Amino acid sequence: MPVRHPWRWVASAVVLVLLAMLAHSFATNSNYGFGIIGGLLFTRPVLDGVLLTLGLTGAAMGIGIVLGVVLAVMRLSPNPLVSWVSWAYIWFFRGTPVLVQLFLWYQLSYLFPHLSLGIPFGPRFVTFNTNSVIAAVTAAILALGLNEGAYMAEIVRAGILSVDAGQSEAASSLGMRRLQVMRRVVLPQAMRVIVPPTGNETISMLKTTSLASTIAVIELFGAVQQIAARTYQVIPDLLVACAWYLAITTVMTIGQFYVERHFARGAQRSLPLTPFQKLRGNLAVWRIRVAGSSR
Amino acid sequence: MVRAEAVHKRFGPVEVLKGISLEVAAGEVMCVIGPSGSGKSTFLRCVNHLEKIDGGRLSVDGALVGYEERGGRLHELPEREVARRRSEIGMVFQHFHLFPHLTVLDNVCSGPVVVKRLARREVEEAARELLEKVGLAEKADAYPRQLSGGQQQRVAIARALAMEPKLMLFDEPTSALDPELVGDVLAVMRSLAEEGMTMLVVTHEIGFAREVGDQLVFMDGGVVVESGRPREVIASPSEERTRAFLEAVL
Ligand SMILES: Nc1ncnc2c1ncn2[C@@H]1O[C@H](COP(=O)(O)OP(=O)(O)OP(=O)(O)O)[C@@H](O)[C@H]1O
Ligand SMILES: [Mg+2]
């Protein structure tokens, strides 16, 4: 007896009606300006905005991940001072809005027009001039990255705690030191728990970079706002931004699958299939069926 | 090799080791038996400083475990030194604790590569020989989850041996195994004993203790109740508690 799912049919009908309404609105309401969107997608300012958005996302996530690992390891340190510093960091950066932090860093670049790298109260090795266009981008990267570090720290910590304590004991008993145990044994296993929420954070960061437009960073959202201010075609411009954000998110989601698969090594007896492998498998089965029935 | 004098250990208010004294000479095999919760694992973990002792003296190969005596006072060793001393002591756990993200061969190489900082090429040959010795040469490229419990435990022994330890600690190495897999692991341990390895073995395998052990220690409630030559202790225990325990497990 085939199983019947009457509610699936009802739900499908509702979705179809809604889609039809949306399509009708697209077709009849010229305010969307679909004609313009295609032309705008690949214009110079939009593409520059996309590149800057990608750069901001990459840099902020890079800082966030490195910082997150350091903070998580610090948080689990047997040294109470080290652990407390990490706790305080997370407390501050998680407890204040990222938009406020963004403005704070931007303002700081005015407070400290020269940022230098060197020994405290000693000689300076490198000096950055902060008060320029670069200052806004730097402030954005710092603000987003440092804020992300606090969230990543908690994700990494959860990952570390998910690894059985027996693993660290076995590694310690071989003579590995604490950081060696972390790097060689615990973190690689923690990755299985760390990667999925990190993918989530990256996608979230992609969209959060749009806040940088508030401190005059012309990333994707900033770019379409500028175009909209000139042309008054606000909705088509916003839809252009949406299209790009969606496209990048899609690519990231696919990338995440492969990263997860990489870190699943040894966790299961066999690795999950990639969509291509599944497709090939299905095709093979289908071909056998066809061959079987034609005989 | 191992000398314990009145070793005490407490977890919060609970005293788990209430003065353990024993001595294992180089090349000797000491088996430790006793009921669950008697402190066998805790003592073993104290020997390589996975637990800190609260009283008494515990030394391995003449050096205090985890401490250094200077001017009549004990100083805690820095992490680096604790790790170095652990690298000279092999430990095998009840639940193997192989590194699941590494192949069998990489598991065996992990100690020398990470701790001794030797090149992978240099240690690979020795690692393969160890796998041969535990009868798993053909599993070098498998991942731990693809092995049976008995095979995993033999890899764990090879991994510990790769550090060329002067002392091996075994914490119920066969308790998590199906009965038919126990024999392979015990055979590896027996050949290790015959090669002259100093071993401290917590086990419920009375047969192994009788045939391979040089000394047998019966622990209960955090104290050594009885010790002696395995055959004598097993055949004619002098303490009532030992007799009751042996009757229950035999
Ligand atoms: N980390 C810990 N914190 C608190 N209590 C502990 C801890 N580790 C062990 N204990 C307690 O110490 C006692 C001795 O434990 P231990 O593991 O040494 O026993 P055992 O003789 O190895 O037993 P088994 O045969 O079941 O392995 C137990 O009562 C246990 O509950
Ligand atoms: Mg135990």
Side-chain angles (χ1 to χ4, degrees):
Chain A
M1 269 284 273
V3 187
R4 287 175 208 288
H5 300 285
W7 285 107
R8 278 194 201 166
W9 289 104
V10 174
S12 309
V14 171
V15 171
L16 270 181
V17 168
L18 288 176
L19 279 177
M21 284 165 70
L22 192 66
H24 179 256
S25 136
F26 281 163
T28 53
N29 191 333
S30 62
N31 288 341
Y32 291 110
F34 282 112
I36 319 168
I37 291 178
L40 271 174
L41 267 178
F42 298 101
T43 53
R44 188 75 227 196
V46 171
L47 287 181
D48 283 347
V50 169
L51 278 184
L52 190 52
T53 289
L54 285 175
L56 284 175
T57 308
M61 280 313 289
I63 294 175
I65 289 171
V66 171
L67 203 59
V69 172
V70 172
L71 285 167
V73 172
M74 283 173 67
R75 184 92 171 78
L76 297 169
S77 162
N79 181 332
L81 178 68
V82 171
S83 171
W84 182 84
V85 167
S86 167
W87 182 89
Y89 182 99
I90 296 168
W91 170 77
F92 178 80
F93 282 90
R94 236 176 27 168
T96 50
V98 66
L99 187 57
V100 175
Q101 290 173 31
L102 205 60
F103 275 77
L104 202 63
W105 282 103
Y106 191 49
Q107 294 304 317
L108 281 181
S109 68
Y110 284 108
L111 272 184
F112 302 103
H114 300 287
L115 203 68
S116 54
L117 214 62
I119 300 166
F121 307 111
R124 295 173 174 185
F125 303 134
V126 202
T127 302
F128 301 102
N129 208 352
T130 54
N131 207 350
S132 60
V133 183
I134 299 177
V137 174
T138 313
I141 290 176
L142 271 180
L144 296 174
L146 296 183
N147 180 69
E148 185 58 31
Y151 287 91
M152 280 308 300
E154 290 296 279
I155 291 174
V156 174
R157 191 168 69 99
I160 291 174
L161 293 179
S162 77
V163 178
D164 178 31
Q167 290 290 315
S168 341
E169 289 188 354
S172 308
S173 80
L174 286 172
M176 290 190 204
R177 301 184 54 184
R178 215 179 79 85
L179 290 182
Q180 290 174 323
V181 173
M182 266 303 160
R183 196 164 81 78
R184 301 305 195 106
V185 175
V186 175
L187 281 177
Q189 294 181 59
M191 289 306 274
R192 262 167 35 78
V193 172
I194 293 174
V195 168
T198 303
N200 217 19
E201 288 294 307
T202 311
I203 287 167
S204 172
M205 176 63 77
L206 173 74
K207 294 169 296 179
T208 308
T209 53
S210 60
L211 293 183
S213 63
T214 57
I215 55 167
V217 174
I218 312 304
E219 40 64 71
L220 178 54
F221 183 51
V224 298
Q225 274 183 306
Q226 281 192 342
I227 299 170
R230 259 191 289 111
T231 61
Y232 297 106
Q233 295 161 332
V234 180
I235 290 187
D237 287 322
L238 291 179
L239 286 178
V240 163
C242 286
W244 272 110
Y245 284 120
L246 269 175
I248 301 170
T249 306
T250 308
V251 172
M252 284 178 176
T253 309
I254 296 169
Q256 184 181 346
F257 173 85
Y258 284 94
V259 177
E260 277 178 29
R261 190 168 176 278
H262 173 79
F263 285 106
R265 264 176 323 165
Q268 285 119 29
R269 288 197 166 205
S270 59
L271 286 176
L273 295 176
T274 65
F276 295 110
Q277 288 169 332
K278 270 191 208 155
L279 185 67
R280 228 179 295 142
N282 287 343
L283 281 179
V285 170
W286 181 73
R287 240 180 262 130
I288 291 168
R289 280 217 199 108
V290 171
S293 58
S294 67
R295 216 174 284 141
Chain B
M1 182 63 74
V2 181
R3 180 198 288 269
E5 294 163 55
V7 168
H8 286 260
K9 171 73 195 171
R10 53 170 69 245
F11 291 112
V14 193
E15 186 155 51
V16 177
L17 300 180
K18 301 172 184 159
I20 301 284
S21 298
L22 50 80
E23 189 162 354
V24 189
E28 242 183 10
V29 176
M30 174 183 279
C31 293
V32 181
I33 58 172
S36 183
S38 55
K40 308 179 298 293
S41 300
T42 305
F43 177 73
L44 217 57
R45 293 159 57 81
C46 288
V47 173
N48 70 356
H49 207 51
L50 285 176
E51 305 284 1
K52 280 184 192 150
I53 67 173
D54 299 313
R57 292 171 73 88
L58 181 58
S59 61
V60 173
D61 205 15
L64 283 183
V65 174
Y67 297 91
E68 190 178 29
E69 204 162 18
R70 270 186 274 121
R73 298 178 80 192
L74 290 184
H75 298 265
E76 214 168 320
L77 286 175
E79 195 230 349
R80 171 197 303 273
E81 189 56 20
V82 170
R84 196 191 60 72
R85 295 210 190 159
R86 276 194 194 127
S87 72
E88 300 172 343
I89 303 173
M91 186 156 189
V92 175
F93 301 84
Q94 182 174 0
H95 296 288
F96 334 130
H97 299 323
L98 289 179
F99 307 137
H101 60 299
L102 300 178
T103 63
V104 163
L105 189 63
D106 285 330
N107 264 276
V108 180
C109 292
S110 60
V113 167
V114 177
V115 178
K116 294 185 176 169
R117 297 178 186 281
L118 298 173
R120 198 21 240 248
R121 276 178 293 103
E122 287 175 62
V123 293
E124 193 174 316
E125 195 181 334
R128 285 190 192 277
E129 270 167 31
L130 282 171
L131 284 175
E132 183 93 44
K133 182 166 156 180
V134 299
L136 290 169
E138 79 285 3
K139 295 288 185 189
D141 297 320
Y143 282 96
R145 292 235 166 84
Q146 298 166 328
L147 303 184
S148 75
Q151 291 170 331
Q152 291 189 46
Q153 192 61 295
R154 284 183 280 152
V155 174
I157 294 174
R159 178 178 68 179
L161 291 176
M163 290 300 289
E164 299 177 326
K166 55 189 180 190
L167 167 69
M168 285 285 285
L169 309 173
F170 293 85
D171 190 1
E172 302 197 32
T174 57
S175 299
L177 302 180
D178 289 341
E180 72 269 22
L181 302 176
V182 169
D184 293 335
V185 173
L186 290 182
V188 168
M189 290 170 62
R190 180 188 297 256
S191 74
L192 206 55
E194 280 161 7
E195 289 167 23
M197 176 64 78
T198 314
M199 293 162 55
L200 188 49
V201 186
V202 173
T203 184
H204 290 305
E205 297 291 330
I206 304 294
F208 176 85
R210 177 166 44 211
E211 281 152 42
V212 182
D214 299 299
Q215 288 192 70
L216 182 64
V217 166
F218 173 68
M219 270 177 72
D220 193 8
V223 295
V224 172
V225 175
E226 186 168 357
S227 65
R229 302 208 56 82
R231 280 172 204 283
E232 289 158 22
V233 175
I234 293 166
S236 52
S238 54
E239 295 287 331
E240 182 49 40
R241 274 195 280 175
T242 320
R243 193 191 316 275
F245 177 77
L246 284 170
E247 256 167 37
V249 295
L250 279 176

